[in-house]
Amino acid sequence: MLNTVAAAAFAMSTIIIPPGGAPGTTPPPDNITIDVVTINGSGCRAGTAAVAVSPDNKAFTVTYSEFMAQVGPQALPTDFRKNCQLNLRVNVPSGFTYGIASTDYRGFAHLEGGATALERANYYFQGMSQTEYRQHNYRGPFSDDWQATDTTDVAAIVYHPCGEKRNFNINTELRVAAGTSDPKKVTSFIAMDSTDGSIETTYHFAWKTCPPPKP
């Protein structure tokens, strides 16, 4: 089973501009461009991540092939924890700035009885304080899709400083603990993936206008 799961491990992370309607969700009228500066981590080593930008320049998708943490007979001692850091340059029209209002994480996990797993993430602008990690825990026996949502109160959203150039960093971590299960006999894992490839992690932008530059 482990080999099948490892071969099928697949994940997508999408940053999108939501449609207009609620305050803070209406994007600027001009196109947004997103540059992926670096992709690092044990869950997205070189050659295991691909980036595709949407035709309207308002979204991008990162596809992983190895973002999975596991314990079991065929797992390496370091496989219990995997992480990935994305360093992004989000280019927005003059006069606008953005923050992250909410994040939807999805994936698949198989946890034997007694095993536990977690997904946690944070994000921050280069040179600024990191946001607190938001963590979601799972306990075996469990074998199903999982979903978690992190929402930030409007007053607590951290926005990119107007008029400055700061890259945006996203840190994501997956971790599994064997607990009372026997990792010499059974395998437990958590992956940012889906067997049908339809699962994606979505970061929802919040928008606001910047004050005009001083003369």
Side-chain angles (χ1 to χ4, degrees), residues 36-112:
V36 179
V37 181
T38 58
I39 302 177
N40 294 305
S42 57
C44 52
R45 61 188 180 89
T48 66
V51 179
V53 179
S54 65
D56 60 8
N57 288 326
K58 294 183 179 180
F60 78 86
T61 301
V62 181
T63 303
Y64 306 94
S65 60
E66 291 186 0
F67 200 1
M68 177 174 66
Q70 58 185 325
V71 293
Q74 300 180 50
L76 298 175
T78 55
D79 286 346
F80 78 97
R81 177 185 178 275
K82 297 290 183 178
N83 76 293
C84 186
Q85 181 178 64
L86 301 179
N87 183 274
L88 314 173
R89 183 182 301 114
V90 181
N91 306 299
V92 303
S94 177
F96 288 86
T97 188
Y98 69 93
I100 299 298
S102 65
T103 310
D104 301 320
Y105 297 98
R106 299 180 178 89
F108 186 85
H110 173 83
L111 303 175
E112 295 288 338

Side-chain angles (χ1 to χ4, degrees), residues 156-172:
I157 295 175
V158 178
Y159 287 88
H160 182 281
C162 290
E164 298 186 16
K165 294 183 178 180
R166 296 175 184 260
N167 289 353
F168 183 59
N169 294 281
I170 300 171
N171 297 314
T172 307

